[in-house]
Amino acid sequence: MTVSPKAAKKLAAVRDLSAVLIFVLLVFFGARAVMNAPFFQKERLTRREASEDISEFFARIEKTRPARPEGPAPAGYAAMRAEAEAAAAASLDEFGRIPVKDLAYILYRYGASFGDGATRLLWQPPRKWKDPELKFPPFTVAAVKGKFTIGKALNPSLAGAELLEVNGVPFPRLISPVLERVSGETQRRREFLFCRDQAFWWDFSRLFAGAPALEVKVKSPGGKPYTRKLDAVTAGEFRRLAARPAAPERMLYAQKKIAWLNVTDLAYSRSGRKGYARFFRELKEHGIEDLVLDLRDSSGGDPRAADLLLSYLAGTPGNGPDDAFAGTARLLTGPGTDSAGAYFAARFRELKAGETLGAATGGMPGHFCSPKEFKLSNSGIPYAAASRYCAAPGADGSPVAPDVALTEALLRPHGDVQAFLLDRIAKARAGK
């Protein structure tokens, strides 16, 4: 087809304009990426700059976060701001400046003081895994029903022991300055988040900095207390201990007609809605009879997404999605089940959609939600503030307890939760 000279001229103009637009966009986004790179961020602030950021932080939260349904905010914003400015003043160096990291450490505490998981600091420094400083313990920590146990350890004999003291200090007291900086609704939730993100918290808090040797007091699974002297390790050594295997989003055991869905974020988005529709369509195609919903590390999202997922379990053709699941559903919960995840657990129980197993939720069904993200003007520290309150679905707004508590004794014959659930499903089908 022959293009007329006039049309060819217009096409050339469109091409040139498109090229200019693409170039401008590349320059804009490239420059923004460079300016936001860690290498170009401020490392220290003057007292005035820190004071401005602190004022901006509290003003933004006061404007964005709704009042508590049962009463006023936990403390006056002016009082909290004055405390934060006093703490920043105490951290000034001889030149009257404060490291951005120190200001973030101060603001982490006040972000967590609101007692919800949505209002929190988002700042984290680049992880320097090659840092040779000995400031990490030679073991990982797990929180189990208010007790702290040793997970993986360079000395395998310590694994599973209850951690009582470190350097003569009871472990809960040792980490209390860290836990008060972890944003969460309940103590169990904060302990869970500390253990989940402990590589960051050990580095950020520097609890063991300058102490290359640690004396730990533990209690063996048999109840015998004893002490051990251990050497602290570097970030790289701790990373190998703390590495978590990526949990699969979903698993289909087509031959056994069992499916497992790991829900870490109940995001209400177009892609999320399409993903659920695709997943439940696949369950129908494979004739899946039993579904396990794993919300043990579900810490974000929107109650609307929880209701959408529930509609696939409680709905029926003509009254819900066309591919609503008609089989048996089981829900796994724990201290990591927060915000929309806790709301889902409450609705799941209210609708009698299936059996709940695990541990009580770390969050409340009624919770502060819809966080909006901001960045402080001088330091560039990012943070989030809840913008609304999502009410609990029923009258009881307390953490949701499971129908079956998955205790260590219950799981021991099976090895892990997955093997236990597969065995439980097989027995239920056999009528045992």
Side-chain angles (χ1 to χ4, degrees), residues 58-413:
F58 285 106
R60 180 67 70 179
I61 292 178
E62 185 175 15
K63 182 179 179 181
T64 305
R65 187 177 183 274
R68 287 173 177 261
E70 69 277 13
Y77 284 91
M80 289 191 290
R81 182 167 60 247
E83 288 178 4
E85 291 191 355
S91 300
L92 296 174
D93 61 16
E94 64 270 25
F95 302 105
R97 299 176 302 174
I98 180 174
V100 169
K101 183 176 182 179
D102 290 355
L103 178 61
Y105 193 67
I106 292 168
L107 293 181
Y108 256 102
R109 177 173 175 242
Y110 289 97
S113 71
F114 290 94
D116 69 79
T119 304
R120 65 195 188 279
L121 263 287
L122 303 173
W123 184 88
Q124 291 197 9
R127 197 60 47 81
K128 298 178 181 177
W129 295 116
K130 294 183 179 180
D131 185 354
E133 187 178 0
L134 302 173
K135 57 183 176 182
F136 291 86
F139 52 78
T140 62
V141 179
V144 182
K145 294 184 177 178
K147 296 181 179 180
F148 291 96
T149 60
I150 293 179
K152 294 182 179 179
L154 289 183
N155 182 348
S157 67
L158 293 173
E162 183 182 348
L163 184 56
L164 302 177
E165 298 179 0
V166 177
N167 294 336
V169 181
F171 189 72
R173 195 202 316 166
L174 177 72
I175 65 167
S176 59
V178 179
L179 289 181
E180 70 178 9
R181 287 168 166 82
V182 181
S183 292
E185 293 179 297
T186 65
Q187 178 75 4
R188 285 167 57 84
R189 172 67 180 168
R190 291 190 291 273
E191 291 172 354
F192 169 83
L193 291 174
F194 165 79
C195 293
R196 189 191 70 179
D197 304 325
Q198 58 187 286
F200 163 69
W201 287 113
W202 291 131
D203 180 39
F204 192 39
S205 65
R206 297 181 61 82
L207 283 178
F208 295 142
L214 309 174
E215 183 175 274
V216 299
K217 183 178 180 180
V218 299
K219 184 192 292 184
S220 69
K224 181 181 178 180
Y226 60 94
T227 59
R228 288 285 185 273
K229 288 189 176 181
L230 308 171
D231 294 327
V233 299
T234 64
E237 292 171 310
F238 186 78
R239 182 186 191 183
R240 288 189 287 273
L241 284 174
R244 292 185 301 150
E249 291 188 3
R250 61 176 190 165
M251 293 180 285
L252 287 177
Y253 304 91
Q255 291 183 336
K256 296 182 178 180
K257 298 188 182 302
I258 299 173
W260 189 296
L261 180 64
N262 184 33
V263 183
T264 56
D265 184 6
L266 284 159
Y268 190 72
S269 62
R270 183 179 180 185
S271 61
R273 295 193 292 273
K274 285 177 131 182
Y276 287 135
R278 186 167 53 250
F279 175 74
F280 282 97
R281 185 166 57 248
E282 196 172 352
L283 297 192
K284 191 172 184 179
E285 291 170 354
H286 285 86
I288 297 299
E289 298 174 1
D290 288 271
L291 169 64
V292 177
L293 293 168
D294 190 346
L295 271 73
R296 289 174 296 170
D297 193 7
S298 182
S299 57
D302 190 306
R304 290 176 297 173
D307 286 332
L308 173 66
L309 180 55
L310 279 163
S311 71
Y312 282 98
L313 306 178
T316 55
N319 192 33
D322 292 336
D323 296 315
F325 180 64
T328 302
R330 291 174 175 84
L331 175 65
L332 280 174
T333 61
T337 310
D338 188 32
S339 61
Y343 174 92
F344 179 93
R347 287 280 290 144
F348 186 88
R349 165 163 286 185
E350 184 180 69
L351 295 170
K352 295 181 173 55
E355 184 180 51
T356 303
L357 306 98
T361 61
M364 309 286 194
H367 57 281
F368 287 91
C369 55
S370 302
K372 292 186 177 181
E373 296 186 5
F374 307 99
K375 189 176 286 188
L376 295 176
S377 300
N378 294 316
S379 61
I381 293 175
Y383 62 102
S387 63
R388 66 189 181 99
Y389 183 81
C390 296
D396 184 9
S398 58
V400 182
D403 301 314
V404 179
L406 297 184
T407 62
E408 184 180 345
L410 190 62
L411 295 176
R412 191 178 298 118

Side-chain angles (χ1 to χ4, degrees), residues 3-10:
V3 180
S4 67
K6 187 176 181 180
K9 190 174 181 180
K10 289 183 178 179

